[in-house]
Amino acid sequence: MATIVTMPRLSDTMTEGTVAAWLKKVGDKISEGDILAEIETDKATMEFESFNEGTLLYIGIPEGETAPVDSLLAIIGNEGEDVTALIAGGSAAPAAAESTPVVTDTKTAETPTATPSADLPKGVIVVTMPRLSDTMTEGTVATWLKKVGDKIIEGDILAEIETDKATMEFESFNEGTLLFIGIQEGNTAPVDSLLAIIGPAGTDISGIAENYKAGGATPTATAKEEVKSTSSSEATEVIETVSDGKRILASPLAKKIASDKGIQLTQVKGTGENGRIVKSDIENFTPATAAAPSPTASKAPETAKTEAPKVFVPAGEVFTEEIKNSQMRKIIAKRLAESLFTAPHYNLVIEVTMDEAMQSRTVINSIPDTKVSFNDMVIKACALALKKHPKINSQWKEDAIIINHHVNIGVAVAVEDGLVVPVLRFTDAMSLSQIGSSVRDLAGRAKNKKLLPTEMEGSTFTVSNLGMFGITEFNSIINQPNSAILSVGAIVEKPVVKNGQIVVGNTMMLSLACDHRTIDGATGAQFLQTLKQYIENPVTMLA
């Protein structure tokens, strides 16, 4: 008997999903555990597994199309079975076999399922601007690594694409010759705009670029499906380059689990097809194999850009310089303006005595191979205080306030083009040394534009520290959708009163910016009191 499979709800906030790629086609035999498709949610692209056996009789949502949760996705049954009635009433049918995303060793949609239409020359592939992050609406081509006429091999890096969060390498999953470049270096274009055309050398592609409509409409529907499959595959497959030139492939779920556990993919041996790292590889990984440092981290100094020469300014003349806004700078401006003008901010300031913290840090760092900063101690104290005051760990929605009982702290990091906020997941469960090593790793890769979008998503609270620049006190703008952000100033040596005596002490100013829609003044003050207790008496963080 035929079974209806509906669009699953793959995240708590998901209301609709997009089929990024079908890994099976009508007529294929389906076994329990086979990956049917890759579904793009509001948070990530996940592999969708079948819990049924039979033949794939019908596909209800083509590649690249979006549909609400519980819409008819596919029908699985016996070969030759009549499913006309199910298709007619499929949208209302129950989700008989709604599945959960599971990573297996199936290779990620490297071969498009759609065949090119007759309107496109044989073998020609249209490549569009991919969506490389959940908030990305347009991208900038930072650098083309190939030029028109170059031979392209599957796995070659075509270009570096600058998104609103990072600059990422864009890999080709097709072979042929680069026939056309649609977006020149430094230019910005919306997602799904014509990026390039790949095909056999000498192929006549006249008219393809002109007929390509803005917004992602290709000359034919089948070509659109093929392009969508290509771009989404390139965007969701996690690829890292190591010193010997080999690539590391990992499924999206394996990458997410590795990020949550702080595991470097360069240290994991993949058991999937072509050495692809899958979920079980991460779960079975033992730290004993992680003796060597990450090769990507050691390469950071090599990729550092040389300082640009200073502009000559004529004396006594009016002279201005125009610097084009990067994609990151545009998004920072947009997000911060939205936050400041939509969330009613107020700030609470408290002074913290740091003498005990300084002594504790000295003792901790006396342990070999241990390096903990004051910022790490503040992050740990915040994580524990948030568990006691969950209303601070919240976010505003028009119809409800969401209380997060998990603690994911974002750490603001200044980079060349602006500011990024990598996230420490489940911070309350991390030790001080784990926080320290994770922050150093994330900050280093942020400055070299090697962070993945998934590593900058999901924060529930943010810490911003300008103390290293000598700033004693400042107020930050809330990092939406968080409800609060803590600003950390410098430690200052000054006269303080202890036991009725004026003595020399060390203090630090903390400023908490709150969203008054979710956090009342008394609630914020209680959080700061708890935070002050933890920082002034670090031993209490062990209780």
Side-chain angles (χ1 to χ4, degrees):
M1 180 177 177
T3 300
I4 290 179
V5 181
T6 60
M7 175 66 74
R9 186 183 302 277
L10 299 176
S11 77
D12 54 347
T13 59
M14 177 179 173
T15 58
E16 60 182 15
T18 301
V19 178
W22 277 102
L23 305 184
K24 300 290 184 180
K25 61 182 183 294
V26 173
D28 283 356
K29 295 292 184 182
I30 308 297
S31 300
E32 184 176 342
D34 283 355
I35 304 300
L36 293 177
E38 290 185 339
I39 307 294
E40 182 180 343
T41 74
D42 57 332
K43 294 183 176 178
T45 300
M46 307 179 74
E47 294 176 332
F48 183 72
E49 177 184 4
S50 172
F51 277 13
N52 303 284
E53 295 186 354
T55 300
L56 183 57
L57 303 175
Y58 176 77
I59 289 177
I61 306 173
E63 285 183 359
E65 292 194 8
T66 302
V69 168
D70 294 334
S71 300
L72 174 59
L73 180 65
I75 299 177
I76 297 175
N78 298 323
E79 187 173 358
E81 187 174 352
D82 184 11
V83 294
T84 307
L86 290 177
I87 295 173
S91 58
E98 189 167 309
S99 309
T100 54
V102 176
V103 175
T104 68
D105 58 0
T106 306
K107 194 172 182 180
T108 305
E110 293 184 0
T111 304
T113 56
T115 56
S117 168
D119 292 349
L120 277 178
K122 183 178 180 181
V124 170
I125 301 294
V126 176
V127 181
T128 60
M129 174 67 75
R131 186 185 302 276
L132 299 176
S133 78
D134 58 340
T135 58
M136 178 179 173
T137 57
E138 59 183 14
T140 300
V141 178
T143 308
W144 276 103
L145 303 181
K146 299 290 184 180
K147 61 183 183 293
V148 172
D150 283 358
K151 294 291 184 182
I152 307 298
I153 301 175
E154 181 179 340
D156 281 354
I157 304 300
L158 292 178
E160 292 182 344
I161 306 294
E162 181 183 343
T163 74
D164 57 330
K165 295 183 176 179
T167 299
M168 305 179 67
E169 293 179 338
F170 184 73
E171 178 186 4
S172 173
F173 273 38
N174 303 285
E175 295 188 356
T177 300
L178 183 57
L179 303 174
F180 177 80
I181 289 178
I183 305 171
Q184 300 301 319
E185 284 187 5
N187 289 351
T188 301
V191 169
D192 293 334
S193 299
L194 174 61
L195 180 65
I197 299 177
I198 297 174
T203 303
D204 182 12
I205 58 169
S206 58
I208 295 180
E210 292 78 2
N211 294 331
Y212 189 89
K213 298 179 182 178
T218 54
T220 64
T222 52
K224 176 178 178 180
E225 294 175 3
E226 186 164 352
V227 172
K228 277 285 186 179
S229 174
T230 303
S231 61
S232 60
S233 299
E234 294 166 357
T236 58
E237 184 69 81
V238 178
I239 299 172
E240 296 186 6
T241 305
V242 292
S243 57
D244 60 0
K246 295 181 180 179
R247 293 181 296 122
I248 295 178
L249 290 90
S251 68
L253 184 56
K255 174 63 188 72
K256 183 178 184 301
I257 296 174
S259 175
D260 292 346
K261 294 185 175 182
I263 297 174
Q264 294 290 332
L265 292 178
T266 52
Q267 300 166 352
V268 182
K269 183 178 180 181
T271 60
E273 186 175 351
N274 295 326
R276 188 168 184 249
I277 297 173
V278 296
K279 176 184 176 184
S280 59
D281 298 326
I282 302 298
E283 292 178 337
N284 298 329
F285 175 75
T286 54
T289 61
S294 169
T296 55
S298 63
K299 290 177 65 179
E302 300 175 13
T303 58
K305 295 182 179 179
T306 57
E307 186 177 353
K310 294 183 179 180
V311 177
F312 172 72
V313 180
E317 293 184 18
V318 176
F319 185 84
T320 60
E321 180 184 5
E322 183 175 299
I323 300 175
K324 185 178 180 182
N325 289 329
S326 66
Q327 192 67 13
M328 179 183 292
R329 178 56 63 188
K330 291 178 185 177
I331 296 299
I332 289 174
K334 180 181 178 181
R335 296 282 185 267
L336 293 183
E338 288 175 352
S339 177
L340 187 61
F341 297 134
T342 59
H345 285 54
Y346 70 93
N347 292 276
L348 301 174
V349 180
I350 195 168
E351 189 172 27
V352 179
T353 301
M354 294 297 292
D355 294 322
E356 287 292 331
M358 294 173 72
Q359 293 177 13
S360 298
R361 178 174 177 264
T362 300
V363 174
I364 293 171
N365 286 345
S366 66
I367 302 173
D369 301 323
T370 302
K371 185 178 180 181
V372 171
S373 68
F374 291 114
N375 195 54
D376 302 333
M377 300 176 76
V378 171
I379 292 171
K380 178 64 176 179
C382 286
L384 297 177
L386 288 169
K387 296 295 287 186
K388 289 191 174 183
H389 303 277
K391 287 185 179 179
I392 306 295
N393 204 39
S394 61
Q395 63 189 73
W396 170 263
K397 287 193 172 182
E398 289 300 326
D399 56 345
I401 294 175
I402 306 300
I403 304 294
N404 297 300
H405 292 286
H406 61 283
V407 177
N408 292 347
I409 294 184
V411 183
V413 176
V415 297
E416 182 181 357
D417 294 329
L419 188 74
V420 295
V421 186
V423 179
L424 299 174
R425 300 184 183 278
F426 308 109
T427 320
D428 56 308
M430 301 174 72
S431 67
L432 280 172
S433 58
Q434 287 175 326
I435 291 173
S437 60
S438 296
V439 169
R440 288 192 298 273
D441 172 59
L442 291 170
R445 289 192 288 120
K447 291 176 180 178
N448 290 293
K449 298 184 178 181
K450 297 299 181 182
L451 281 180
L452 296 169
T454 53
E455 294 176 308
M456 294 179 279
E457 298 170 355
S459 67
T460 60
F461 184 83
T462 308
V463 173
S464 179
N465 190 339
L466 292 178
M468 67 285 294
F469 299 107
I471 304 300
T472 56
E473 183 182 344
F474 67 103
N475 298 323
S476 299
I477 298 175
I478 297 170
N479 179 34
Q480 297 282 354
N482 300 172
S483 288
I485 181 171
L486 184 74
S487 305
V488 183
I491 298 175
V492 178
E493 187 178 42
K494 68 177 186 178
V496 296
V497 178
K498 287 187 178 180
N499 301 321
Q501 300 292 323
I502 297 177
V503 297
V504 176
N506 295 276
T507 65
M508 181 174 69
M509 302 299 293
L510 300 177
S511 177
L512 182 70
C514 302
D515 184 342
H516 218 321
R517 297 174 301 179
T518 54
I519 303 173
D520 295 326
T523 304
Q526 291 166 2
F527 169 79
L528 283 179
Q529 288 292 333
T530 303
L531 183 62
K532 175 183 172 74
Q533 176 187 348
Y534 280 133
I535 295 175
E536 291 187 340
N537 303 281
V539 69
T540 59
M541 288 193 274
L542 303 176

